[in-house]
Amino acid sequence: MTLATGAILILAVLLGWLRLWRWQAARPRTARFWALLALQPLAATLLWFALHPPAITVPGGTLVVATRGAPPGSYDIRLPEAPASAGGTLAPDLATALRQRPATTVRVVGEGLESRDQAIARTVSVQFAPPPPPTGLVRLDPPPPVGAGGLVQVTGAATGMDGGSAELLDPAGTRAALAELGADGSFALTGRTRAAGAADWKLVLRNPAGAAAHTANIPVTTLDTPPPRLWVRAGAPGPELKYLARWAADAGLDFGSDVQLGAGITMGDAPLAITATSLARLDVLVLDERSWAGLSASARAAVLSAVRSGMGLVLRTSGPVPAPVRSAWSTLGLRLATGDTPRDTRLPGGTTIQSLPLAPLGPDSIAFLRDTAGKPVAAWRSYGRGRIGLWPVLDSYTLVLTGKSTAFAGLWSSMFSAVARSTTASRPDLPAWGYAGERVTICGLPGPAQMLTPGGTAIGLHPDAAARGCAGYWPTTPGWHRLRTSDPAIETPLRILPAEAHPGLRATALREATLRLARSQPAAAASADRSLPGPAWPWWLAFIATAGLLWWIERRRIGRGAQTT
Amino acid sequence: MSVAPDFAAWLRPIVWRVRAQTAAAALPLVLAAAAIAWRLAGPVPAAAVAALGLAATAFLAARASAHYDQRWLLRRLDAERADIEDSADLLLADPASLGLLQRLQRDRLIARLQTGPAIAAQPDWQPKRLAILWALAVAVTAAAILWPRGGSAEVEALIRGEADQPPPLLVARSLRITPPAYTGLPARNAENLSAKAPVGSTLTWRLRFAPTPESAALVFLDGRRVPLAQQGEDHIATARLDRSSLYRVVATGEAKQGPLHRLDAIADARPVVRVLAPATTLTTATPGQSRWALSFEARDDHGVRATARLRLIRAAGSGENVRFRESAMVLSGTGSAKARRFSVSLDLNALGLTPGGELVAQLSVADNRPGTAQTAQSPSLILRVPTEKAVEAAGLEGMVQRVMPAYFRSQRQIIIDIEALLKERRRLPAATFAARANNIGADQRILRLRYGQFLGEESEGQPKAPTMADLLTSDGGAPDKVTPTDKPAPKLVLPEGHDAYDGHNHGATDRAPPVFGSDDGTFAAYGHAHTDSETATLFDPETRATLGKALDAMWQAERSLRQAEPAAALPQAYAALNFIKDVQQATRIFLQRTGTNLPPIDMARRLTGKREGIAPARRSLDGEDYPDAVPAALFASLATASPSEADLQRLERWLAQAEVPDKLSVVAAIDAVRSDPACAPCRNTLRGTLWDAIATPPAAVLRRSAGSTEGRRYLDALATR
């Protein structure tokens, strides 16, 4: 950079000289000519220094900075979040403070440095004596995305509330779940969504006496994806198929099934032709061990090739699995334990089902259903772009018969959600929520997008294609902001919480980030000198003076009088 | 040497004329602008606008007139007067610097101009343009002053001459709730205009407005309107609370619609009866128990009547022959009106409870609501007095089918007896054999007579009550697997033991027994027959014929038995049994099944497995089938956008037919959003109520996102590895 500007400046000087030479070629060399000749390189040199001011060496020093929650006292610098009782010069941010008062060490007093100041703080060494950890809600895991009727899972932790309880309130304000805080203060709560759309759930932490000590809003966005097309091929009719069809109808799935009774006799819908084109129209295909055994080699190849290109395949068991099927499935990476004895499996939520045990999972398999002891019950793995799930549950229909149809729907919904073909559109990757006045990173944007504030103002986003299509957004007003993307034309809500929301959570985050900074920048370099870019303004002043002189000498009539008169 | 003419004097009228023209053109604009400013912002801004406009006019006039100077005058002279001979510039030149000829010409010009400039009046007045400008300005000014102010209440009040009357405001309010007398609740004042009160309460509103409006009313959202009557300074209304509703206070001349208030009618709850003693509903009497203590507690929100009715049902007998006697007694409660206790100790001996009998007690209480009191019953409490027989049968109950049709069993029993007799024939003396065969024949006779009753046979006398002799054949009470050897013993010594199963009515010997199948039994009880007794039975002719054949066979069998020829009797007995079985089949009732109307079977397609052309059953529920589609869609859109009026109307239509626990709160939330669509907290409230109204749908499938191109490439690479 510096070299390039230098070269350009030298070229400019040479061109200036050439022009002077030609202009004054026929005239006697006056003092004016020589002055013009000499001032050209001088002006270029000054401009170069103005653009790249020479570094100055700063003696090592320590800057005491007051941040949010700093106790009253006298400090060098007071950042905007610091309380007014903290004395010191008010600086808009740490970078400005360091330019005004160069230092090599920053001693942070208070809760910690805001994310705004953390980048500049990496250039100096940070000393931080952390305040006592905050009490109340200190960890809140954003709930994973959920569909209508799905489970909202809220987990987190609170400190300083031994013996307290956590309560989840749904958007109507009625209690959805209640749990006692664990020994480490952690809690896990679940609620069930009723409709697609974005809504604030509320977490209430109660002390042992039952009084509400802390409340926190938890924005939850319930997504609405196009329903998958589902086909079940069974080897025999059974209650599982019946209740699966019933659930699929209620949940709005595009469902079809056929039962191959053998000898060319089929029941149910018109049988599915296992070809590449018919499978490409499906999102999930469910086979059991009998229908798998009934597939020809070419049909199996077609199914696996469809899975490689994105289809989901669920292998379910309806009874003992013959050895050839067992080995065929294990070559797909999903292995059943030996023995066909079904075992009683207790699931979280107090339900019991019968299932065939799984062999220990391979490294590429993911268990999506575990029993109360944590043993995997059902698993899936990637296969090309698609996924294959193994569902060795024999009698999930008994859940419906015992009045637990919600649990039944939840099990199958989670299975199909895991393996179903992905949607054609990619969802932008938004954080679960943001805070007013803090930068929000939005990724996965395919092209230009707009943010609509609650007031309706549209703010353009400029995603960086080189960085996963990420864009920065600085919200100022709390409320529901909307991300509007043009391709596909969808609006995704993003909740911006007020700047003072989740105080414990954010204090913990600040504290840990500042502690990380303090650890990564050891105080050993604290006293050493350090060079900083020097001030540029004297050079600019000198350059302007020289350039002005040049202009004046060139325009003045000195030495031209003879020709004009 | 002549002196140059006084150009300034010549120019002065022209300059003033130009200034006047400018002012004449600008003034209407200033006037119109000032009028508009007065209308929009008031007199002070209007004055400012006028001052600015005048200043601008003066500036423009000065600028316009500056153009008309001496040079302009000389140019006009050159242009318009031929006698100036394009030499007007000489008039301004210094005569001393001019040549001779120039001087001469100058003098000539001066002489010619002695009479004045004599040029055309410049510039022209343009009366047409000015007239249009002035007309427009006057029109705009008039419009600005006289235009009515958008139909606002203020202007309307101005028209009515009430310009200084502010809108009425509710300054004092009270809502007095007088619950119905039977509740015993005191009258009270509600804290605000919303209240919860028992159904039937009298509500009295006393509202005071300042200033007092012409009229005021309570407008309910369900369309009712309760006018407020003016009484002194107050407005008063009274209404009975019959159902929950929402209302607002509306006064004429109100600036804006007031808030909604909510009235909740608390329905009178039914009383609740709890049994304190005994602990279980079924009690088995201990041997020698003579009293049964019962204790109940009845609770009600307002009060339980002091007396309650205890219904007592005594059951005597066993099996099919159980008779019930019902009686009632009135109990007086103790304790407060809201929780009364009813206790009684029943004397079992006085009630005539015998072993094998049961006593069922049920308390029925009523609350103190006038008009239609609400009643509640306690569970039935049963006291069972055990019998020895019940003890014997314990363990076999439910396994042995003890009730069999008597006529069917008896014929079979006769066959069993005959067969047993035939087996023992060799061992028995002839006389004993003949006597036993005769006995069986007697059984057969009695059975035949009983079947004969079905056909109205009277050849052997009127049907009579079974006697002890009947019991020999009517073996209903005997265990199922009775061998002929042990048959006579229980029959003979236990006449009391087979009361339940034999079907004959030996308990009522004092009246003529009803005869099964004959017209005087059932028909006499429920109607009257016009046909003769021979054909007027319950059986159709075919059954009668079959039954006749059975009787014939019985005749034959009886005759052989009486002649001590049981071997000959056996086929006849079997034949009779078969005919009786046929009759039994015939007495079954076959009903036409309704409800299915199957299409005819297509024989060409049958058993081929072909399904072409068969419409598949509709499997998926579309949006219209999802009952909560309307609120769910609105729930999603309300998060970020205000609803349209059409949305709200659709929601109201849905609400009218939906089963929502708290409809009023939804209605109130809709009303709040409708009155202020931009109010975000109101929208949030509506969303909350909608959430409550939506039933949790079955878990849907959430498909994963397509992911990035790099991710897909990675998965493809993994698959081909």
Side-chain angles (χ1 to χ4, degrees):
Chain A
M1 190 69 196
T2 51
L3 282 180
T5 40
I8 290 170
L9 288 174
I10 289 170
L11 194 66
V13 167
L14 290 176
L15 282 172
W17 278 346
L18 188 66
R19 177 190 145 271
L20 262 180
W21 197 266
R22 290 180 53 115
W23 176 35
Q24 301 279 351
R27 292 171 201 157
R29 304 277 184 264
T30 59
R32 175 167 167 263
F33 172 77
W34 294 116
L36 284 173
L37 212 60
L39 280 174
Q40 297 285 347
L42 183 64
T45 315
L46 287 172
L47 181 58
W48 192 83
F49 276 119
L51 291 174
H52 308 289
I56 52 165
T57 307
V58 185
T62 300
L63 197 66
V64 185
V65 176
T67 60
R68 187 192 300 273
S74 100
Y75 302 93
D76 295 335
I77 294 294
R78 178 162 70 90
L79 289 176
E81 296 79 24
S85 59
T89 321
L90 182 67
D93 52 35
L94 185 63
T96 311
L98 280 175
R99 268 195 300 279
Q100 289 169 349
R101 313 262 298 262
T104 51
T105 304
V106 170
R107 189 146 65 79
V108 179
V109 182
E111 290 180 4
L113 290 171
E114 300 284 324
S115 52
R116 170 197 68 210
D117 297 328
Q118 284 167 11
I120 191 73
R122 289 196 189 96
T123 63
V124 292
S125 77
V126 176
Q127 292 177 354
F128 180 47
T135 58
L137 185 67
V138 293
R139 179 169 65 83
L140 182 61
D141 308 320
V146 64
L151 275 187
V152 177
Q153 294 171 324
V154 177
T155 53
T159 54
M161 305 203 49
D162 293 339
S165 58
E167 193 179 289
L168 185 66
L169 304 182
D170 69 9
T174 43
R175 182 198 288 168
L178 175 70
E180 304 222 327
L181 294 179
D184 55 347
S186 64
F187 57 85
L189 300 162
T190 53
R192 208 164 268 284
T193 63
R194 297 193 180 173
D200 274 355
W201 293 56
K202 197 168 272 185
L203 178 73
V204 181
L205 296 176
R206 296 187 181 276
N207 57 21
H214 301 276
T215 53
N217 277 342
I218 307 173
V220 174
T221 303
T222 308
L223 299 172
D224 197 8
T225 53
R229 290 150 298 178
L230 180 66
W231 193 275
V232 181
R233 169 165 288 188
E240 199 83 334
L241 187 60
K242 171 185 173 180
Y243 290 107
L244 199 54
R246 172 70 214 197
W247 163 70
D250 287 348
L253 270 60
D254 189 351
F255 180 82
S257 66
D258 57 10
V259 181
Q260 303 284 337
L261 295 174
I265 299 176
T266 60
M267 275 174 66
D269 298 321
L272 175 79
I274 307 266
T275 59
T277 45
S278 66
L279 292 178
R281 281 197 295 271
L282 282 184
D283 294 327
V284 185
L285 176 65
V286 183
L287 297 175
D288 60 11
E289 76 282 347
R290 295 171 74 166
S291 52
W292 173 271
L295 290 183
S296 64
S298 65
R300 273 184 216 178
V303 167
L304 290 181
S305 124
V307 173
R308 262 194 295 274
S309 57
M311 189 185 76
L313 174 64
V314 175
L315 303 170
R316 85 181 167 94
T317 57
S318 59
V321 182
V325 176
R326 215 173 252 275
S327 65
W329 287 2
S330 58
T331 55
L332 294 175
L334 295 162
R335 287 188 298 126
L336 286 166
T338 47
D340 275 325
T341 319
R343 62 183 172 105
D344 276 345
T345 309
R346 297 191 150 276
L347 298 180
T351 52
T352 306
I353 50 172
Q354 295 255 314
S355 71
L356 297 177
L358 287 179
L361 292 182
D364 52 356
S365 301
I366 295 164
F368 81 92
L369 180 65
R370 289 176 186 276
D371 61 8
T372 43
K375 253 190 109 186
V377 177
W380 63 267
R381 62 162 303 215
S382 279
Y383 192 79
R385 290 189 188 181
R387 291 173 177 183
I388 304 179
L390 180 57
W391 178 254
V393 177
L394 299 175
D395 63 345
S396 64
Y397 68 90
T398 53
L399 295 176
V400 183
L401 298 183
T402 50
K404 293 166 186 159
S405 47
T406 319
F408 174 85
L411 287 181
W412 282 101
S413 155
S414 58
M415 174 88 248
F416 290 141
S417 299
V419 301
R421 189 192 293 274
S422 66
T423 53
T424 48
S426 62
R427 287 194 286 270
D429 186 10
L430 278 88
W433 57 77
Y435 301 100
E438 272 193 18
R439 181 177 189 270
V440 174
T441 311
I442 298 164
C443 286
L445 292 172
Q450 279 185 329
M451 252 352 245
L452 299 177
T453 64
T457 320
I459 296 169
L461 295 181
H462 303 285
D464 185 356
R468 297 199 304 122
C470 288
Y473 176 56
W474 280 266
T476 51
T477 48
W480 285 102
H481 294 231
R482 282 170 288 162
L483 171 69
R484 182 183 281 171
T485 46
S486 51
D487 182 33
I490 47 168
E491 284 192 356
T492 318
L494 170 65
R495 177 77 159 109
I496 300 299
L497 295 171
E500 63 273 12
H502 300 170
L505 210 60
R506 298 170 72 198
T508 311
L510 282 190
R511 185 171 185 271
E512 285 175 0
T514 315
L515 272 176
R516 268 199 303 278
L517 279 174
R519 283 195 207 106
S520 63
Q521 301 281 332
S527 57
D529 292 355
R530 139 191 127 90
S531 63
L532 284 177
W537 62 269
W539 298 104
W540 279 114
L541 216 59
F543 167 71
I544 287 168
T546 317
L549 187 66
L550 256 173
W551 174 82
W552 182 70
I553 293 175
E554 192 156 329
R555 297 289 293 174
R556 72 184 280 268
R557 293 171 178 251
I558 295 174
R560 288 202 293 175
Q563 279 100 29
T564 47
T565 53
Chain B
M1 185 93 184
S2 44
V3 178
D6 187 1
F7 290 128
W10 289 359
L11 277 171
R12 202 168 297 126
I14 294 172
V15 164
W16 278 109
R17 181 192 169 97
V18 167
R19 285 178 185 165
Q21 279 176 4
T22 312
L27 276 179
L29 299 179
V30 174
L31 181 68
I36 290 170
W38 174 81
R39 176 61 194 261
L40 294 181
V44 175
V49 166
L52 270 178
L54 289 177
T57 307
F59 174 72
L60 285 175
R63 266 195 62 176
S65 61
H67 180 58
Y68 298 94
D69 54 1
Q70 284 182 355
R71 286 183 177 282
W72 172 82
L73 185 63
L74 297 183
R75 272 202 311 280
R76 293 309 310 167
L77 286 173
D78 281 344
E80 292 191 21
R81 289 193 46 176
D83 56 348
I84 300 299
E85 294 166 350
D86 286 346
S87 313
D89 281 343
L90 293 175
L91 294 172
L92 280 183
D94 182 11
S97 64
L98 296 178
L100 181 66
L101 208 58
Q102 288 167 323
R103 261 201 309 269
L104 198 65
Q105 176 69 357
R106 183 171 178 271
D107 289 342
R108 282 173 62 194
L109 292 185
I110 289 170
R112 286 175 197 163
L113 288 171
Q114 283 303 327
T115 53
I119 52 171
Q122 280 283 341
D124 272 342
W125 284 94
Q126 288 171 315
K128 217 181 264 179
R129 212 164 70 181
L130 281 180
I132 291 171
L133 262 179
W134 274 99
L136 273 179
V138 167
V140 168
T141 310
I145 293 170
L146 300 179
W147 194 273
R149 284 183 198 253
S152 71
E154 196 183 323
V155 170
E156 284 166 18
L158 197 78
I159 292 164
R160 288 200 307 271
E162 301 168 355
D164 49 354
Q165 182 97 334
L169 276 181
L170 197 59
V171 290
R173 64 193 177 184
S174 83
L175 171 58
R176 187 154 185 82
I177 303 164
T178 317
Y182 81 93
T183 60
L185 295 173
R188 63 189 171 95
N189 284 322
E191 284 177 9
N192 46 36
L193 291 180
S194 298
K196 283 186 182 182
V199 170
S201 299
T202 307
L203 304 176
T204 309
W205 287 267
R206 183 177 284 269
L207 309 173
R208 185 175 297 174
F209 298 91
T212 309
E214 270 183 20
S215 68
L218 307 173
V219 177
F220 288 80
L221 273 198
D222 54 14
R224 275 183 302 150
R225 189 183 172 91
V226 177
L228 286 159
Q230 194 164 359
Q231 196 179 82
E233 287 190 334
D234 294 348
H235 283 76
I236 292 174
T238 304
R240 202 181 115 94
L241 181 63
D242 288 324
R243 58 177 183 274
S244 302
S245 52
L246 294 162
Y247 74 100
R248 56 164 55 95
V249 180
V250 175
T252 36
E254 230 173 7
K256 67 179 177 67
Q257 221 172 29
L260 272 181
H261 307 287
R262 179 171 177 158
L263 297 178
D264 281 301
I266 306 168
D268 192 350
R270 299 175 71 86
V272 178
V273 188
R274 195 160 64 89
V275 180
L276 301 175
T280 54
T281 51
L282 176 63
T283 317
T284 308
T286 51
Q289 183 177 353
S290 63
R291 298 195 83 79
W292 191 28
L294 300 173
S295 180
F296 302 89
E297 188 191 54
R299 286 177 177 275
D300 187 57
D301 46 357
H302 298 312
V304 183
R305 269 193 205 158
T307 55
R309 190 168 163 275
L310 184 68
R311 192 161 153 251
L312 290 173
I313 300 163
R314 276 159 290 165
S318 62
E320 289 177 355
N321 187 26
V322 177
R323 280 180 300 131
F324 302 98
R325 267 186 294 159
E326 190 174 335
S327 59
M329 56 193 294
V330 173
L331 303 184
S332 302
T334 56
S336 69
K338 286 193 174 184
R340 281 192 202 279
R341 273 180 186 227
F342 298 92
S343 301
V344 69
S345 179
L346 298 172
D347 185 352
L348 301 184
N349 295 331
L351 287 166
L353 205 62
T354 52
E358 287 182 357
L359 177 63
V360 182
Q362 190 182 35
L363 187 77
S364 156
V365 299
D367 67 4
N368 60 351
R369 192 168 74 172
T372 51
Q374 301 186 98
T375 57
Q377 276 81 35
S378 73
S380 293
L381 301 173
I382 305 169
L383 179 71
R384 184 172 288 170
V385 182
T387 58
E388 294 84 6
K389 197 181 165 194
V391 176
E392 279 172 14
L396 282 175
E397 234 166 354
M399 288 169 65
V400 180
Q401 190 188 6
R402 296 166 20 143
V403 182
M404 290 281 279
Y407 53 83
F408 175 63
R409 268 181 68 109
S410 297
Q411 185 60 42
R412 173 152 293 182
Q413 190 63 54
I414 285 166
I415 293 171
I416 293 169
D417 289 352
I418 294 172
E419 284 173 345
L421 186 62
L422 286 173
K423 264 187 210 166
E424 295 177 41
R425 183 174 194 165
R426 297 183 185 204
R427 283 179 278 140
L428 288 175
T432 317
F433 179 75
R436 279 182 63 178
N438 192 39
N439 276 347
I440 300 172
D443 288 353
Q444 183 69 76
R445 172 181 170 266
I446 291 166
L447 191 66
R448 180 179 53 77
L449 288 180
R450 286 179 61 198
Y451 278 98
Q453 290 168 12
F454 295 148
L455 290 178
E457 279 186 0
E458 296 175 9
S459 56
E460 297 196 17
Q462 289 289 329
K464 57 183 194 293
T467 58
M468 282 297 289
D470 293 352
L471 302 172
L472 291 173
T473 56
S474 182
D475 48 358
D480 209 22
K481 302 212 171 188
V482 171
T483 56
T485 45
D486 59 28
K487 180 199 76 172
K491 304 265 173 77
L492 287 169
V493 296
L494 280 175
E496 293 291 323
H498 51 86
D499 48 0
Y501 311 111
D502 53 5
H504 49 242
N505 192 3
H506 52 75
T509 49
D510 51 345
R511 59 188 166 89
V515 176
F516 178 57
S518 69
D519 57 345
D520 59 343
T522 317
F523 274 16
Y526 301 109
H528 60 277
H530 295 275
T531 49
D532 63 326
S533 67
E534 186 67 19
T535 53
T537 69
L538 291 177
F539 300 112
D540 58 312
E542 282 174 27
T543 314
R544 283 174 57 84
T546 317
L547 205 51
K549 286 179 193 164
L551 285 180
D552 282 350
M554 286 183 192
W555 261 113
Q556 306 282 341
E558 187 191 343
R559 192 188 59 197
S560 302
L561 286 168
R562 299 273 190 196
Q563 292 169 350
E565 292 172 5
L570 198 56
Q572 302 298 333
Y574 269 112
L577 182 63
N578 283 335
F579 286 128
I580 292 168
K581 275 186 171 177
D582 286 346
V583 173
Q584 213 184 351
Q585 299 280 341
T587 54
R588 285 187 189 152
I589 298 167
F590 294 92
L591 289 175
Q592 168 82 39
R593 287 189 182 177
T594 55
T596 48
N597 188 13
L598 297 173
I601 294 169
D602 182 0
M603 285 303 183
R605 195 193 279 274
R606 197 164 180 228
L607 290 176
T608 58
K610 292 197 169 65
R611 300 177 55 86
E612 292 83 15
I614 298 177
R618 208 165 59 111
R619 276 272 171 68
S620 64
L621 301 174
D622 52 18
E624 286 171 11
D625 288 342
Y626 175 41
D628 295 334
V630 173
L634 202 57
F635 178 82
S637 70
L638 272 176
T640 49
S642 303
S644 68
E645 180 58 32
D647 285 340
L648 293 179
Q649 281 173 1
R650 213 173 303 129
L651 182 64
E652 281 174 334
R653 276 199 300 278
W654 169 83
L655 191 65
Q657 46 81 33
E659 292 278 334
V660 177
D662 189 6
K663 265 189 196 184
L664 277 191
S665 59
V666 186
V667 172
I670 293 174
D671 184 80
V673 168
R674 177 172 283 151
S675 57
D676 186 5
C679 158
C682 311
R683 290 210 310 259
N684 245 345
T685 313
L686 179 57
R687 294 187 84 209
T689 58
L690 287 183
W691 178 274
D692 266 346
I694 298 171
T696 308
V701 173
L702 182 70
R703 291 166 67 185
R704 62 204 151 98
S705 168
S708 62
T709 333
E710 294 85 351
R712 283 196 291 273
R713 245 189 336 251
Y714 176 73
L715 288 174
D716 288 344
L718 272 186
T720 52
R721 188 167 57 91

